[in-house]
């Protein structure tokens, strides 16, 4: 038996095997090329399309927002100023005092304890700051006169009234 002696079934097997390998190699090549095409083409197409769509959405949105924003700016500049004033009054006890409380408390109208009058304020301060807050916020009928709730300005926030009380107490002790 020499090396050249190959049986028929072996030849068939080798031939079929070679064909199978060839087909697999060809398929690999085709798939590789396809993958390259997909990778090279589809993403760039997608990105460009998405960018265009997003830009269109942004433009539409900007247009819608701009009209709303203009309305707000046009109608709201005055009220914005008002809101700022209220907000600053809420934390600025002196401002609240000046605008609402000073009317009575500077001159002692109707028996109001005068601003800065230590003798008038000492017994009141002795009641405790919470009592003073209560009386200023809810109103108070005392022995000398009537302290209206929030000094008659119902729109004041409780904290604004408290801050005004703090301001009066601080300057009167
Ligand atoms: C219309 C006049 C008037 C205004 C405005 C007014 N008060 Fe008075 N307030 C009085 C009078 C009168 C008293 C004294 C009442 C008493 O002792 O009989 C008083 C008393 C007080 C007292 C002492 C309460 C106590 O328990 O002794 C505080 C605190 C006070 N006022 C805070 C304020 C604050 C804060 C404001 C502004 C937000 C204000 N008042 C605005 C008239 C006023």
């Amino acid at each position: 038996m020499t090396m050249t002696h190959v049986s028929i079934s072996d030849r068939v097997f080798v031939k079929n095997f070679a064909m199978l390998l060839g087909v697999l190699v060809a398929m690999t090549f085709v798939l590789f090329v396809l993958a390259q095409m997909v990778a090279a083409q589809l993403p760039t197409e997608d990105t460009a399309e998405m960018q265009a769509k997003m830009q269109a959405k942004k433009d539409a949105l900007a247009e819608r927002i701009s009209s709303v924003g203009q309305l707000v700016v046009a109608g709201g500049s005055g009220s914005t100023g008002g809101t700022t004033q209220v907000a600053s009054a809420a934390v600025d006890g002196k401002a609240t005092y000046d605008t609402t409380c000073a009317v009575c408390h500077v001159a002692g109208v109707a028996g109001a304890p005068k601003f800065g009058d230590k003798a008038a304020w000492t017994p009141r301060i002795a009641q405790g700051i919470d009592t003073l807050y209560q009386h200023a916020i809810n109103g108070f009928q005392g022995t000398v006169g009537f302290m209206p709730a929030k000094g008659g300005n119902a729109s004041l926030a409780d904290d604004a009234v408290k801050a005004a009380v703090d301001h009066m107490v601080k300057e009167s002790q």
Side-chain angles (χ1 to χ4, degrees), residues 100-101 104-105 110 112-113 124 127 132 135 140 142-147 151:
T100 307
C101 320
C104 295
H105 283 274
R124 296 178 185 274
Q127 303 175 103
L132 297 183
H135 288 168
F140 168 56
T143 52
V144 286
F146 178 65
M147 161 68 205

Side-chain angles (χ1 to χ4, degrees), residues 15-30:
K15 196 180 152 204
N16 285 348
F17 191 70
M19 264 174 66
L20 187 66
L21 278 181
V23 168
L24 284 175
V25 168
M27 270 176 67
T28 305
F29 182 73
V30 167

